[in-house]
Each structure stands twice: as C-alpha cells, then as structure tokens.
Amino acid sequence: MPLYRIADLTVAMEPQGRTRRLAQAYITDAATAPDVTIEVDRQKLRQRFPALTESYGEYLQSGEQFYMALAEHCGMMLHASSVAVDGKAYLFTGPCGTGKSTHTGLWLRYLGDRAHILNDDKPAVRLNGGRLYAYGTPWSGKHGRNSNECVPLQAICVLHQAKENTIQKMPPERAMAALMEQTTRKIPASAMEKLLDVLDAIVRADCMYEMGCNMDISAAELAYNTMR
C-alpha cells in the first residue's frame, strides 16, 4: 500500500480520483511502519453518499478516517482556512458562510509573496514537544488549496461578519467551546483525553482571538498587525 507523510504521520492508503490527486505532494518513500491506515469501504461509501460521485465520497471518507486517527496522535482537525506568513501559521475558523476563505484571500493581497495558503478547509493542529504546529493536508476544501508543510501556530481567530472591523482576545471559556464546535468529535474514547490536551494547550497559549470583519483589505491589515 502506498505511503504518505501527512502532519508528520506516515499514512498508508490507496486513494483514487480527487484524493489521489491532492495527496500527490505527500507521497513518501520512507520505509517506516504506518501510523495510520486508511481503508475506504466502497459499498458503505455508496450507501452513505448516494448523491455524490465515488471520487468525492472517497475524499470525504478518507479525510474523516485520517482526522479521527489524528486525535490518537495528539492532534486535531480544525474547520478553518489557514495562511502561513513569515514561518508562522494563522487559522481562521467559524461557522460555514462566515467568509474564512475570503478573509485569507485578503491576507494574500495585503502581504503578497510573504503569505501563502497552508490549508483552505481542514488544517491539522498537533501538540509536539510542548509546542503547537499547524499542517497542510490533502483534505482542503472544494478548491483543494493546501501546502505540505509544518508551521508553528501563531494564532487562531474566530470570525463573524460585521460592517466594521474589530478584533480582541477570546476569553478561555469561550475559546474552548469555539474550538470544540469546529473539530472532529466522533473519536474513540481513548483519544478524547489527547484531544482535550491539545485544546487545553491552545487555550493556555493565549493565541485565540475573535474578529468582526468586513470584506475590505483593511480587515487583513488589522488582523495581521494584532496577532503577529
């Protein structure tokens, strides 16, 4: 079975279609035992996603398996659009339709070549050696925008739309709830304690913000200058 290196984990899987295309940049020839094995059940796939093409259904199922396994390795998925700037990762999360991808697009305009998309939908976050890191993965939204990188986590920002741009630190009790709303919760009980360790590390790092933003480039300027 082919091996891929995703979020510093060796993943064994035989992807097809969309998943295979997006995973090309993650192929590894390292002779190491897999940390995660992904096996897509195509019969269950058709039953669960009858309205989707098999390629897209496999993409969803394989991503779900990876992120469930990630929790066993002190990691978590965050439903977010993430951008890397000067070797630091900034993640923007919130409910669907809040403009996460639009906001990171403003960062690209504002910062030019200093910034690039790490993952436009489901970046991985891992706690390793007491530090938090964000990773690109193949599971990266409808546009498939991702980069096979590990970048130290600088900040996570919960977005909502507003006419005027405002940003402030998020209180710890609200930060934990906001993170739980945007991550995988269907995980084995054995992994829940590790997931809570990651969430606790994020809250303790005091790197959570909340922002009301419009669609003007000034929103990116304010966010970057506050969180950097």
Side-chain angles (χ1 to χ4, degrees):
M1 188 177 289
L3 296 178
Y4 298 79
R5 192 70 178 168
I6 305 172
D8 281 338
L9 298 172
T10 300
V11 180
M13 62 177 180
E14 292 184 298
Q16 303 296 321
R18 176 184 174 85
T19 314
R20 183 177 181 178
R21 176 174 59 82
L22 292 173
Q24 283 293 313
Y26 299 80
I27 291 175
T28 180
D29 57 4
T32 57
D35 301 296
V36 177
T37 299
I38 294 174
E39 295 181 330
V40 173
D41 186 324
R42 302 198 177 278
Q43 182 176 354
K44 288 184 179 180
L45 192 67
R46 288 188 288 270
Q47 293 173 349
R48 185 177 176 189
F49 303 112
L52 298 180
T53 64
E54 187 169 295
S55 174
Y56 200 79
E58 181 204 39
Y59 169 80
L60 294 178
Q61 190 181 89
S62 60
E64 182 179 75
Q65 287 188 35
F66 174 77
Y67 289 118
M68 288 179 66
L70 179 65
E72 297 276 10
H73 298 275
C74 296
M76 62 177 284
M77 177 276 291
L78 189 66
H79 183 212
S81 184
S82 55
V83 62
V85 181
D86 298 336
K88 297 177 181 179
Y90 300 82
L91 279 59
F92 297 92
T93 187
C96 291
T98 53
K100 298 181 287 294
S101 295
T102 300
H103 186 75
T104 52
L106 295 175
W107 278 55
L108 300 185
R109 285 176 52 199
Y110 175 62
L111 293 164
D113 292 342
R114 292 171 57 197
H116 63 272
I117 295 296
L118 183 63
N119 185 291
D120 198 31
D121 188 44
K122 295 182 175 68
V125 177
R126 289 190 67 196
L127 180 62
N128 191 350
R131 294 194 66 186
L132 291 159
Y133 297 90
Y135 297 82
T137 76
W139 300 282
S140 48
K142 61 183 179 181
H143 298 299
R145 302 168 72 193
N146 67 84
S147 179
N148 184 8
E149 291 182 81
C150 167
V151 185
L153 178 66
Q154 175 70 10
I156 298 174
C157 186
V158 181
L159 296 179
H160 67 271
Q161 294 181 2
K163 291 183 179 180
E164 300 294 331
N165 296 317
T166 60
I167 186 169
Q168 55 274 325
K169 282 285 183 71
M170 178 171 270
E173 63 275 10
R174 291 182 56 208
M176 182 70 79
L179 291 169
M180 284 296 293
E181 286 178 2
Q182 300 299 330
T183 192
T184 303
R185 294 186 291 275
K186 294 181 180 179
I187 59 174
S190 59
M192 181 55 72
E193 186 173 348
K194 295 178 181 178
L195 173 62
L196 292 174
D197 285 343
V198 179
L199 295 172
D200 183 66
I202 294 172
V203 173
R204 288 178 179 274
D206 194 29
C207 65
M208 290 284 297
Y209 295 79
E210 54 187 339
M211 182 177 190
C213 59
N214 57 30
M215 299 305 165
D216 187 80
I217 198 167
S218 60
E221 181 180 12
L222 175 62
Y224 173 68
N225 287 324
T226 301
M227 298 190 295
R228 66 177 179 172

